[in-house]
Amino acid sequence: MSTASTATPFEWTDLDKRAVDTVRALAMDAVQNTGNGHPGTAMSLAPAAYLLFQRHLRFDPADPHWAGRDRFVLSCGHSSLTQYIQLYYSGLGLELEDLKHFRQWGSLTPGHPEYGHTEGIEVTTGPLGQGLSNAVGMAMAARYERGLFDPDAEAGTSPFDHKIYVFVSDGDLEEGVTSEASSIAGHQKLGDLVVVYDDNHISIEGDTKVAFGEDVLHRYEAYGWHVQHVDWLAGGEYHEDVQALHEALLAAEAETDRPSIIRLRTIIGWPAPNLQNSGKAHGAALGEAEVAATKKVMGMDPDKTFDVPADVLAHARKVGERGAAEHQAWDTEFAAWRSKSPERASEFDRIAKRELPAGWAEKLPTFEPGKDVPTRKASEAIIQAIAESVPELWGGSADLAESNLTTIKGGKSFLPAVYGETEFGESSPYGRILHFGIREHAMGSILNGIAVHGNTLPFGGTFLVFSDYMRPAVRLAALMKLPVTYVWTHDSIGLGEDGPTHQPVEHVAALRLIPGMTVLRPGDANETVGAWKALMEKHTGTDDHGPVGIALTRQGIPTYDHEALNSSLDAIEGTAKGGYVLAEAGGGAPKVILIGTGSEVQLAIQAREALEADGIPTRVVSMPSTEWFEEQDAAYKESVLPAAVKARVSVEAGVGAGWKQYVGDAGRSVSLEHFGASADYKTLYREFGITAEAVEAAARESLAAVGA
């Protein structure tokens, strides 16, 4: 596919210059009108953003979801006006009124770009560094997608070839997550990734020399990137050499074996006469006097606000004509591909419609009752079964594949072929086994980028305790409602001898606090099947459900006989409900309810036996997901946890926060309110009092509290 920039020779007319100055005026006016925001970067990046959208970025304003489009990510999301104004210029849905309501209630122009809220925004970029890391994921997804649908096409000839463009700031490159992600990008040789680094030397605290002095380009060269420098301060006077940036972009686009970064030296707030090159231009309104003075410098009427000359807007919106022509040309290539590859085209249609292949669930394993199975081991078998039918499923671990058991057997490592054989077998640029290395921060952000790119379903694994390293990305995945799966193993003190640094205590409770996040802690191997089945169905359904984390055991736990326990549902149906009656009370209505999750369900089952032997009808509820349970209607929840039964106990090997809503004032929680220790898991459970005897005692206390 040809890029937009190669269609015509470069020219920069007076209308282009006026369009850029109008961008600056709009940025100042929008921030001034609202009273807060970040005008400086939007002003200095105006020529770069306008150049990219008008000459390089392949997109069609009439169809923002066109599969063949390039992606643009504004990693420095605080400068959201940089993107909003170009979306307005392009006719992609934003109008002048939207700029006037910048950062205001209900507007399409919130303080930071939000995926799913404003057309043309490819990913939510708020915390610095996330956007660039997401873009690495997008580039990886683009390559995997090409492998699914058009692996044999020559480079640059497939309808699935496209670029990922990113604008980043000093702040993005100071955040550690970008170091991890950029290292992966260089190792993966992601030639479709093009980054423009706005090197303006200013952050909120002023000149970045107080904290940031490294040679960024040498660092990126060491990562294996193609590096270029465009210095608009060369020669001592500021000169916006747009053609030099254009040529650098052309060179970056032509470099297909390495990701590219262009260091663009700018002056923040240019051409504000008094506040340019200052921290004050970074994150605050310039003030009426400075706005007026800047407009005078640009030859504009200082008394006019949000003034967009008709000829400027008409000129900018011609980008729609280019986009339509490129879209039409792509449609021709896409039709030829469909004709040549009907089976792959059928697969593309299925995936684009978010449908799973017929019969996929029939291949899921069933585990016989009576055998102890670690849920991480059950998950391994389930991943293999799903992968046989669902080619869009791919993933791996942060150097913990042998512990997380996330390797898709028979798959190839997602690596350029130059790396040859690995411990996992062959490498392929289209492989489905992801190796993130020891980079959990980047893994979380890359998974988000893969998911927002579309057409594939990513998963990533690490120990549950290291979900802390992923938390900013997990939070953003929940905010964007992305179909990401986290395989978090070694889910409690049950991991044993590694000790308190590796034993998650507060993590499940903390993750449950994230709105839109689902945490699954299956109580046996078959609940693990139910967890994977339900999450796959939710990830591909018509509703955007959000990310799911599965917390899995290292140690073996019992597999239950639902018929013998008189369960209300089987493990598959029960897990999909979030909570269900695993073991019914003998002889009728229960007097006490024991609620367990994960490896502690067995403690509830054992305690029930003792209580029932003493004539106390006891129900055991398995609650793999409080989030999914809360999605059920009131009647179902009442059938599982009847309000009349107030004697209740929860048991989970972690902090008890969150269980009060289920056990009530008279209830008790058997929990762990301190860090773990180094010992075998059986010793730890015994010494910390997370035992069947403790659950039984708590049940008797709760019964006494309700006067039963």
Side-chain angles (χ1 to χ4, degrees), residues 236-264:
E237 288 192 10
Y238 195 60
H239 169 57
E240 293 178 330
D241 189 345
V242 181
Q243 184 166 355
L245 177 58
H246 171 68
E247 291 171 355
L249 285 167
L250 288 177
E253 291 158 358
E255 174 57 64
T256 58
D257 293 329
R258 294 175 292 173
S260 292
I261 185 169
I262 302 166
R263 178 184 174 190
L264 177 64

Side-chain angles (χ1 to χ4, degrees), residues 378-556:
S379 175
E380 178 185 38
I382 298 160
I383 289 172
Q384 311 315 313
I386 297 172
E388 286 182 26
S389 303
V390 186
E392 62 267 35
L393 180 74
W394 62 316
S397 287
D399 199 55
L400 287 169
E402 292 186 4
S403 295
N404 296 148
L405 305 181
T406 52
T407 301
I408 296 175
K409 296 175 182 177
K412 298 179 181 180
S413 292
F414 181 83
L415 283 168
V418 67
Y419 292 116
E421 291 281 331
T422 72
E423 296 292 327
F424 297 81
E426 291 183 62
S427 298
S428 166
Y430 307 135
R432 66 194 304 191
I433 303 171
L434 285 167
H435 304 288
F436 294 100
I438 307 167
R439 303 185 185 97
E440 292 91 350
H441 300 83
M443 178 174 71
S445 305
I446 286 170
L447 291 171
N448 288 354
I450 292 172
V452 295
H453 182 274
N455 286 344
T456 70
L457 296 171
F459 65 86
T462 186
F463 292 167
L464 178 59
V465 74
F466 300 133
S467 64
D468 280 344
Y469 284 178
M470 303 172 65
R471 192 176 177 89
V474 172
R475 182 177 185 272
L476 285 169
L479 180 63
M480 290 184 274
K481 300 180 179 179
L482 299 182
V484 178
T485 302
Y486 311 108
V487 182
W488 287 320
T489 67
H490 298 58
D491 71 337
S492 70
I493 56 170
L495 69 89
E497 291 83 353
D498 275 341
T501 62
H502 281 54
Q503 291 165 1
V505 173
E506 77 280 20
H507 295 72
V508 168
L511 288 162
R512 286 178 180 143
L513 291 175
I514 300 175
M517 173 70 194
T518 296
V519 181
L520 285 161
R521 201 159 175 256
D524 76 350
N526 287 319
E527 282 193 5
T528 309
V529 177
W532 269 104
K533 181 176 184 292
L535 76 85
M536 289 293 292
E537 290 169 344
K538 289 177 184 292
H539 281 342
T540 54
T542 55
D543 296 327
D544 293 324
H545 192 271
V548 177
I550 313 179
L552 303 171
T553 67
R554 178 194 186 194
Q555 74 276 23

Side-chain angles (χ1 to χ4, degrees), residues 24 47 52 108 119 123 214 226 234 256 278 334 371 408 441 469 471 474 495 499 504 533 538 614 703:
R24 294 180 167 121
L52 183 68
L108 293 175
E119 284 286 16
V123 66
E214 70 208 40
H226 171 236
T256 58
S278 72
F334 189 63
K371 183 179 180 181
I408 296 175
H441 300 83
Y469 284 178
R471 192 176 177 89
V474 172
L495 69 89
K533 181 176 184 292
K538 289 177 184 292
D614 201 21
L703 283 163

Side-chain angles (χ1 to χ4, degrees), residues 521-524 527-528 560 562 565 567-571 574-583 593-602 604-605 619-626 629 636 640-641 651 659:
R521 201 159 175 256
D524 76 350
E527 282 193 5
T528 309
Y560 299 109
H562 282 62
L565 292 171
S567 302
S568 63
L569 299 170
D570 66 28
T575 302
K577 295 280 190 183
Y580 67 105
V581 178
L582 172 61
I593 299 174
L594 311 179
I595 310 168
T597 72
S599 50
E600 288 72 67
V601 170
Q602 64 184 305
I605 293 290
R619 171 183 289 183
V620 173
V621 169
S622 179
M623 186 81 78
S625 172
T626 58
F629 185 69
Y636 177 77
V640 176
L641 298 175
V651 53
W659 286 110

Side-chain angles (χ1 to χ4, degrees), residues 71 73 123 129-145 162 164 166 181-182 184-185 188 190 193 225 394 414 434 436 442-454 456 458:
R71 270 60 163 184
V73 177
V123 66
Q130 290 293 324
L132 174 53
S133 306
N134 299 153
V136 173
M138 290 180 184
M140 292 167 70
R143 194 169 87 195
Y144 186 70
E145 180 187 48
H162 56 269
I164 316 295
V166 195
S182 298
I184 291 175
Q188 287 286 354
L190 299 176
L193 181 62
W225 287 53
W394 62 316
F414 181 83
L434 285 167
F436 294 100
M443 178 174 71
S445 305
I446 286 170
L447 291 171
N448 288 354
I450 292 172
V452 295
H453 182 274
T456 70

